[in-house]
Amino acid sequence: MTLTLTVSDEVRALVPGFTHVAVEAHGLVNGPSTDASSALLDDAARRLAVRLAGRAPHEDPHMAAWRQAYTAFGSKPSRTRNSAEALAKRALSEAGLPRINLLVDVYNAISVARLVPVGGEDIDRIEGGMRLVRATGEEDFVTVAGGEQVIEHPDAGEIVWRDEAGVTCRRWNWRQGPRTRLTEETVSAIFLLESLAPMPVADVGSAAEELADLLEKFSPGARIEVRPPAS
């Protein structure tokens, strides 16, 4: 069954020019990071450096647009960076990109190389469809702090992804909750690539196709669908 993704009218009104492309995959094989997935991340960091040509990630026009979007819903973008900018900063640092697991490495590589926020959610852990909404401030966001499970609540007006059980990702694409993240047991996933003007819609579509090709490479035989761009 195809997972439903909905963008609320409130979000569309606040941040016009938003587009997302979803890649839905079933029959995936995940596991620990490998030499091949590590090499993907190293190559992504090289591609990023060429793309930026000495600029800081936030100076890229697409990242600048995300900073404006975060400011629009009351977040401080220099403190809570969108996922692509945060990963790009790590890619350019001495520490480099983290190795998480095979599937996360693959989508992080696309995010860094293309400088576009990409998220991955375990479909089997999602309750109902997923919605991009402005939070009331009463929603539950289950996370981990100090090794213990804690429940946070988003700020009122904050843009969040949520399902029927609660918030799955805070501040649009800043922090994913552990409930739906991709683990080594994940076999079905939805990958979401999110872009804002001035990034051409064709570019985010191309990034989604590259991600789909990599998923097929690492999980031969997986059933993969790239959905048309949506707003």
Side-chain angles (χ1 to χ4, degrees):
M1 187 174 73
T2 299
L3 182 73
T4 302
L5 299 168
T6 307
V7 179
S8 74
D9 291 340
E10 283 187 316
V11 172
R12 290 194 187 96
L14 186 70
V15 189
F18 169 63
T19 301
H20 65 83
V21 177
V23 179
E24 186 168 337
H26 300 271
L28 294 168
V29 178
N30 201 7
S33 300
T34 64
D35 289 345
S37 71
S38 184
L40 269 182
L41 292 168
D42 289 339
D43 182 61
R46 287 190 289 270
R47 290 168 65 183
L48 173 68
V50 171
R51 181 189 188 101
L52 291 175
R55 294 174 299 166
H58 70 267
E59 295 177 296
D60 178 88
H62 190 214
M63 295 297 95
W66 276 104
R67 285 196 166 209
Q68 292 173 1
Y70 270 47
T71 300
F73 66 79
S75 184
K76 294 183 178 178
S78 59
R79 244 176 53 189
T80 55
R81 297 178 177 88
N82 76 80
S83 63
E85 184 183 331
L87 275 176
K89 272 184 70 72
R90 292 196 67 171
L92 298 173
S93 71
E94 287 188 12
L97 289 165
R99 274 59 174 164
I100 308 296
N101 60 52
L102 194 59
L103 290 177
V104 176
D105 290 353
V106 167
Y107 81 71
N108 278 350
I110 295 296
S111 179
V112 168
R114 299 287 192 141
L115 211 50
V116 58
V118 184
E121 307 277 356
D122 189 320
I123 289 176
D124 294 328
R125 297 172 181 267
I126 295 170
E127 297 191 20
M130 289 181 61
R131 294 174 282 143
L132 187 66
V133 301
R134 299 199 72 181
T136 64
E138 297 179 0
E139 299 90 345
D140 288 345
F141 177 71
V142 180
T143 187
V144 176
E148 299 289 332
Q149 180 174 297
V150 297
I151 296 178
E152 298 178 352
H153 303 284
D155 299 328
E158 182 182 323
I159 293 179
V160 299
W161 279 102
R162 65 159 302 162
D163 65 1
E164 294 304 319
V167 172
T168 57
C169 196
R170 284 199 59 189
R171 291 177 186 153
W172 209 320
N173 47 43
W174 167 66
R175 179 185 291 170
Q176 182 188 32
R179 173 169 62 89
T180 58
R181 68 186 174 192
L182 304 185
T183 69
E184 293 181 19
E185 288 72 46
T186 297
V187 294
S188 295
I190 190 86
F191 300 89
L192 198 61
L193 298 85
E194 301 179 295
S195 71
L196 298 172
M199 173 174 269
V201 174
D203 285 4
V204 69
S206 172
E209 293 290 349
E210 183 180 0
L211 173 59
D213 288 345
L214 288 173
L215 293 172
E216 173 61 32
K217 175 183 176 182
F218 284 96
S219 293
R223 303 183 307 282
I224 301 167
E225 176 194 3
V226 179
R227 300 190 196 174
S231 58

